[in-house]
């Protein structure tokens, strides 16, 4: 049976008149990895600092294991919260070797116990051969793993990671994201990651909160954020896509320029259909994987841009109306700019919002 480890209830944080967090709420189960994802200035790092106890809150409450650690009139200091933290710059002590860095928070243990824990964590992060090296002798990836080992050493109830991969290049960032998830899961560690990078969030987290203007717009799995976005901001922020105008035929079908869409309509969009009734106008979200290349299709579109991505090419295609859509196609289908190609729709999840003043708009 799952147990709630962290709960935020309507948390508000402000600097004078400037409100950073508005009624922020979330629930994280023990053993899960959560993520606060959003653009710069959305409040995600402030939320992490409030959880850690580095910032007070002006309203709401933060609970750890059911006990309040922060409210408007109650505050537990950071050192008493049993929370570990991995900072953006790793914050390793330059004058201490790797072993001493990992063991820094274990001074209350007997020497033998401390050394056993250090050895255990060096094995966990696969760095047993560098125990006597100093931070300046390590690569960025090694420093990141040592910072993680140091944070895990005291066995914290909750681990917080503040943009931990931002100083690494793309390839290493992707590999370490997967490694860190494996380490946290093997250790049974509950954690929250803060990042602006969707790939990191998807690689590590069980649940992701998309933040905007100090509020969580949607707290959900990566799959649901992509296929069932709660609002236009989430639809715009997660992945890539295009909005095309559509007409409601009935509660299960929408007609767009490319044909009639039939598929699963999530509960959150049912109100859109009810409001529009038959013949009502909506904006339909199309992802690049919804538009499939098909040489045999009579439905044609013109290639106006292409982005080579190795195994795939992301095509921007112009429809007969002039509207543009995106299509992700295996890269052996290498078409020229200006060439017409056959396409077809393959949509399982219909995402639609009340129509805005904009028509086709490429997102992200």
């Amino acid at each position: 049976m799952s147990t709630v480890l962290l709960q935020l209830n309507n948390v508000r944080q402000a600097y004078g008149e400037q409100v950073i967090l508005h009624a922020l709420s979330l629930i994280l189960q023990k053993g899960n990895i959560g993520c606060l994802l959003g653009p710069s200035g959305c409040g995600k790092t402030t939320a992490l600092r409030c959880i850690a106890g580095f910032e007070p809150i002006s309203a709401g409450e933060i609970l750890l294991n059911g006990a309040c650690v922060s409210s408007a009139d109650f505050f537990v200091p950071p050192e008493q919260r049993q929370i570990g933290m991995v900072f953006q710059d790793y914050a390793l002590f330059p004058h201490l070797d790797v072993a001493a860095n990992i063991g820094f928070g274990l001074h209350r243990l007997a020497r033998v116990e401390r050394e056993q824990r250090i050895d255990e964590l060096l094995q966990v992060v696969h760095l047993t051969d560098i125990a006597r090296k100093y931070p300046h002798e390590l690569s960025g990836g090694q420093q990141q793993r040592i910072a993680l080992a140091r944070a895990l050493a005291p066995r914290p109830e909750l681990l917080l990671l503040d943009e931990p991969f931002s100083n690494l290049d793309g390839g290493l960032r992707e590999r370490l994201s997967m490694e860190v998830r494996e380490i946290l899961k093997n250790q049974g560690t509950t954690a929250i990651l803060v990042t602006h990078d969707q790939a990191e969030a998807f690689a590590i987290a069980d649940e992701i909160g998309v933040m905007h203007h100090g509020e969580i717009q949607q707290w959900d799995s990566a799959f649901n954020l992509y296929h069932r976005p709660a609002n236009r901001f989430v639809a715009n922020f997660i992945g890539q896509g295009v909005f095309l105008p559509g007409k409601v035929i009935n509660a299960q079908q929408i007609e767009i320029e490319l044909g009639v869409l039939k598929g699963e309509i999530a509960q959150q969009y049912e109100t859109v259909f009810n409001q529009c009734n038959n013949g009502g106008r909506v904006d339909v979200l199309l992802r690049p994987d919804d538009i499939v290349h098909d040489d045999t299709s009579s439905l044609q579109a013109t290639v106006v841009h292409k982005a080579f991505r190795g195994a795939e090419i992301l095509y921007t295609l112009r429809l007969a109306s002039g509207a543009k859509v995106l299509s992700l196609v295996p890269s052996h289908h290498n078409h020229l700019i200006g060439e017409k190609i056959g396409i077809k729709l393959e949509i399982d999840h219909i995402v639609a919002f009340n129509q805005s003043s904009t028509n086709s708009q490429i997102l992200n």
Side-chain angles (χ1 to χ4, degrees):
M1 184 176 178
S2 59
T3 304
V4 174
L5 185 117
L6 173 68
Q7 185 167 350
L8 275 63
N9 296 325
N10 298 315
V11 169
R12 183 181 189 273
Q13 198 271 355
Y15 299 110
E17 297 297 317
Q18 184 182 8
V19 179
I20 308 300
L21 302 178
H22 306 258
L24 190 73
S25 298
L26 65 85
I27 292 176
L28 186 65
Q29 304 291 337
K30 188 175 181 63
N32 277 6
I33 302 172
C35 175
L36 297 176
L37 171 67
S40 297
C42 70
K44 57 187 185 293
T45 295
T46 298
L48 204 72
R49 290 178 60 82
C50 289
I51 294 168
F54 300 150
E55 302 279 353
I57 62 175
S58 56
E61 60 180 357
I62 299 174
L63 308 176
L64 279 173
N65 279 320
C68 181
V69 293
S70 278
S71 68
D73 53 8
F74 182 77
F75 183 80
V76 174
E79 64 274 14
Q80 295 178 21
R81 296 192 181 195
Q82 291 186 283
I83 291 177
M85 191 153 187
V86 178
F87 296 94
Q88 186 172 343
D89 60 359
Y90 313 137
L92 297 176
F93 300 109
H95 63 290
L96 299 179
D97 64 20
V98 163
N101 262 285
I102 294 174
F104 183 79
L106 303 177
H107 55 276
R108 293 182 180 178
L109 296 182
R111 179 179 175 181
V112 172
E113 291 179 286
R114 184 167 63 250
E115 290 178 352
Q116 287 177 342
R117 181 62 174 157
I118 292 169
D119 289 343
E120 176 189 342
L121 285 164
L122 283 168
Q123 292 179 37
V124 165
V125 298
H126 310 297
L127 292 174
T128 53
D129 57 338
I130 65 165
R132 297 306 164 197
K133 288 190 174 183
Y134 287 83
H136 71 274
E137 300 177 280
L138 308 180
S139 68
Q142 289 173 326
Q143 290 184 34
Q144 193 270 348
R145 281 186 280 171
I146 294 304
L148 178 62
R150 184 182 62 183
L152 290 172
R155 293 185 171 88
E157 289 277 6
L158 177 66
L159 183 67
L160 307 179
L161 301 101
D162 185 10
E163 301 268 8
F165 309 107
S166 60
N167 295 327
L168 306 176
D169 61 51
L172 180 58
R173 181 183 305 171
E174 183 176 354
R175 179 169 61 82
L176 280 176
S177 296
M178 293 185 287
E179 285 185 11
V180 167
R181 176 176 171 83
E182 183 179 359
I183 289 169
L184 295 177
K185 286 298 182 180
N186 288 342
Q187 293 286 299
T189 302
T190 310
I192 288 193
L193 164 79
V194 156
T195 184
H196 63 275
D197 189 303
Q198 295 178 36
E200 283 179 21
F202 292 173
I204 294 179
D206 301 303
E207 297 175 287
I208 301 165
V210 177
M211 289 192 64
H212 182 52
H213 292 328
E215 296 179 315
I216 292 180
Q217 303 295 306
Q218 186 173 354
W219 178 262
D220 218 326
S221 66
F223 182 91
N224 284 341
L225 293 176
Y226 187 83
H227 290 290
R228 301 184 182 108
N231 55 40
R232 282 179 183 268
F233 178 82
V234 177
N236 290 349
F237 188 76
I238 297 295
Q240 291 179 296
V242 168
F243 278 119
L244 282 185
K247 181 176 71 173
V248 175
I249 298 175
N250 54 49
Q252 286 78 40
Q253 295 178 311
I254 299 178
E255 183 180 13
I256 61 173
E257 179 181 352
L258 295 172
V260 176
L261 305 182
K262 303 175 185 179
E264 177 189 351
I265 299 173
Q267 186 175 358
Q268 64 259 43
Y269 310 122
E270 289 180 358
T271 56
V272 173
F273 288 81
N274 293 336
Q275 290 169 3
C276 291
N277 298 315
N278 294 350
R281 299 290 173 173
V282 293
D283 288 332
V284 179
L285 176 66
L286 296 181
R287 299 292 194 187
D289 47 316
D290 294 330
I291 310 293
V292 177
H293 177 263
D294 183 2
D295 286 325
T296 66
S297 175
S298 60
L299 189 60
Q300 300 277 303
T302 303
V303 176
V304 294
H305 187 267
K306 55 193 289 189
F308 186 76
R309 296 186 172 184
E312 297 165 318
I313 297 175
L314 180 66
Y315 285 103
T316 303
L317 306 173
R318 185 174 62 243
L319 305 179
S321 68
K324 294 176 183 177
V325 295
L326 301 173
S327 181
L328 203 56
V329 177
S331 62
H332 58 271
H333 294 284
N334 187 22
H335 297 284
L336 300 174
I337 302 296
E339 184 179 348
K340 286 192 173 183
I341 64 172
I343 58 172
K344 66 178 180 180
L345 289 169
E346 283 192 5
I347 297 179
D348 293 322
H349 302 87
I350 298 177
V351 179
F353 300 99
N354 290 323
Q355 194 166 85
S356 68
S357 58
T358 59
N359 286 324
S360 172
Q361 175 189 4
I362 293 180
L363 312 174
N364 290 340

